[in-house]
Amino acid sequence: PPPTGASPGSGALNPFDRRLKRKQKNWAALQAEPAKCDYLREEVRGRGRWRGHLQTFPLALDVGSGRGYIAQHLTKETVEKLIQVDMAENALKNAVESEIPTVKVVADEEFLPFKEDTFDLVVSSLSLHWVNDLPKAFREIHQVLKPDGVFIGAMFGGDTLYELRCSLQLAELEREGGFSPHVSPFTAVADLGHLLARAGFNTLTVDTDEIQVNYPGLFEVMEDLQGKYILCMGESNCSWNRKPLLHRETMLAAAAIYQEMYGSSDGSVPATFQIYYMIGWKYHESQAKPAQRGSATVSFGDLAKIEGLLKRGKK
């Protein structure tokens, strides 16, 4: 694969250390019983629209496939052949078996090694929020799609872990006089449709959803994020400007703030994961086109008359 990192000096343009992210994902794929750590991916996989289309796609691409989470939801009637791409070779080696014939390719999501107009379908689940250049990634996905091909994706949204982010920032401001990021930056939903349209996609659909996980307290949230669950998913922070350690006093203050601001009556605290679901099509002349401006035969002003017309029709 091409180079996956950037120099620390270029962190303003490239917020993520892609080499570190590759190491994290490779490490996560080697953990014992990794399926127990995949609760978020499994939930997103179940809520997604990977099976929501009736047509059959001869050739599909899974960008950032990991251990093959989406492939488990696809059938031969939906996809005839699947190419799985991930930057972590260990994830591909430990991929879950699927009934669909698959080909595994080690490559960076930011540099797709495929020709133009190759795939009928491109899917991606919880991977694109780690790329440095999201507009470029969308353009590459659009490029490798055939005309009338469809892209279906899911990624973490801007409000992900807002409770944790706010608590840590307030605690650091109070105890240390400033703060640094401990949660990776995410794209805002207002920007997502614009980025997809600029990449060339049309007939866009962008939905948001939230998954809330309850924990006993902040320390249990941090344990999951840094240890047994999220890190097992390869979702640990890999920002260039991340802060390696938190002072004990700051952590205690953050735990108190978390409980005070977001705690439930039973003593637990929530951690919210915002998910963006997106669908976009590559243009083809056979696709339905919007009617010309001024060609409507019914006015919106007539909507108020519908109820009366229905009543008369029933009589």
Side-chain angles (χ1 to χ4, degrees):
T4 55
S7 63
S10 64
L13 296 177
N14 298 301
F16 302 122
D17 183 347
R18 296 288 290 174
R19 295 188 186 277
L20 175 59
K21 175 49 57 183
R22 184 180 182 183
K23 290 180 180 179
Q24 290 172 347
K25 294 181 73 173
N26 271 321
W27 179 89
L30 295 178
Q31 300 312 297
E33 299 182 292
K36 291 184 177 180
C37 305
D38 291 339
Y39 63 96
L40 272 178
R41 292 190 184 276
E42 294 295 332
E43 183 67 23
V44 171
R45 187 192 71 174
R47 297 188 185 190
R49 301 182 178 182
W50 326 112
R51 299 182 297 179
H53 297 268
L54 298 178
Q55 71 263 43
T56 299
F57 301 97
L59 184 61
L61 172 67
D62 185 354
V63 178
S65 61
R67 297 193 310 109
Y69 311 100
I70 296 179
Q72 301 172 55
H73 259 269
L74 301 176
T75 64
K76 292 181 179 178
E77 290 72 29
T78 306
V79 173
E80 295 178 358
K81 187 175 182 179
L82 179 67
I83 308 296
Q84 295 176 312
V85 169
D86 200 279
M87 65 193 300
E89 58 273 18
N90 289 340
L92 293 174
K93 290 177 183 177
N94 292 283
V96 180
E97 291 296 326
S98 169
E99 67 176 66
I100 304 170
T102 60
V103 176
K104 299 174 176 59
V105 178
V106 179
D108 196 318
E109 298 95 327
E110 294 184 332
F111 305 92
L112 296 179
F114 305 105
K115 294 181 180 180
E116 189 175 354
D117 301 341
T118 299
F119 298 96
D120 306 279
L121 166 70
V122 176
V123 294
S124 180
S125 181
L126 300 187
S127 172
L128 293 176
H129 54 277
W130 287 123
V131 302
N132 280 312
D133 192 343
L134 188 58
K136 178 179 180 293
F138 283 152
R139 288 195 301 269
E140 294 216 355
I141 290 173
H142 182 271
Q143 180 174 315
V144 301
L145 271 173
K146 292 179 180 178
D148 202 32
V150 61
F151 166 57
I152 306 175
M155 60 187 291
F156 284 125
D159 287 339
T160 294
L161 296 173
Y162 70 88
E163 305 99 338
L164 175 64
R165 185 186 297 116
C166 182
S167 300
L168 289 173
Q169 288 178 357
L170 289 175
E172 280 192 294
L173 283 171
E174 177 191 341
R175 298 303 171 96
E176 302 179 32
F179 66 87
S180 60
H182 298 282
V183 179
S184 296
F186 298 105
T187 303
V189 67
D191 298 327
L192 192 58
H194 180 61
L195 293 176
L196 288 166
R198 284 183 58 188
F201 291 101
N202 58 30
T203 319
L204 293 171
T205 301
V206 178
D207 295 328
T208 65
D209 195 6
E210 288 187 354
I211 299 174
Q212 193 172 88
V213 183
N214 292 321
Y215 295 90
L218 176 136
F219 292 103
E220 287 77 12
V221 176
M222 296 292 288
E223 181 184 3
D224 268 10
L225 292 176
Q226 295 178 346
K228 57 184 179 180
Y229 290 128
I230 303 299
L231 189 53
C232 285
M233 290 168 53
E235 289 297 322
S236 187
N237 190 358
C238 68
S239 301
W240 282 112
N241 59 351
R242 64 192 179 276
K243 188 175 180 179
L245 294 173
L246 278 167
H247 298 298
R248 182 174 179 274
E249 299 245 343
T250 302
M251 288 290 293
L252 291 173
I257 292 171
Y258 205 139
Q259 185 65 51
E260 179 66 25
M261 292 183 64
Y262 305 106
S264 304
S265 57
D266 61 0
S268 65
V269 296
T272 300
F273 299 87
Q274 185 181 36
I275 312 296
Y276 298 155
Y277 297 99
M278 52 199 142
I279 300 177
W281 297 79
K282 188 169 182 177
Y283 175 76
H284 187 267
E285 59 184 10
S286 65
Q287 293 174 350
K289 298 177 179 61
Q292 292 185 357
R293 187 179 180 86
S295 63
T297 58
V298 179
S299 170
F300 277 112
D302 296 330
L303 292 176
K305 305 175 184 177
I306 290 179
E307 186 175 354
L309 292 172
L310 290 174
K311 288 181 179 178
R312 264 184 277 168
K314 288 180 180 179
K315 289 181 182 179

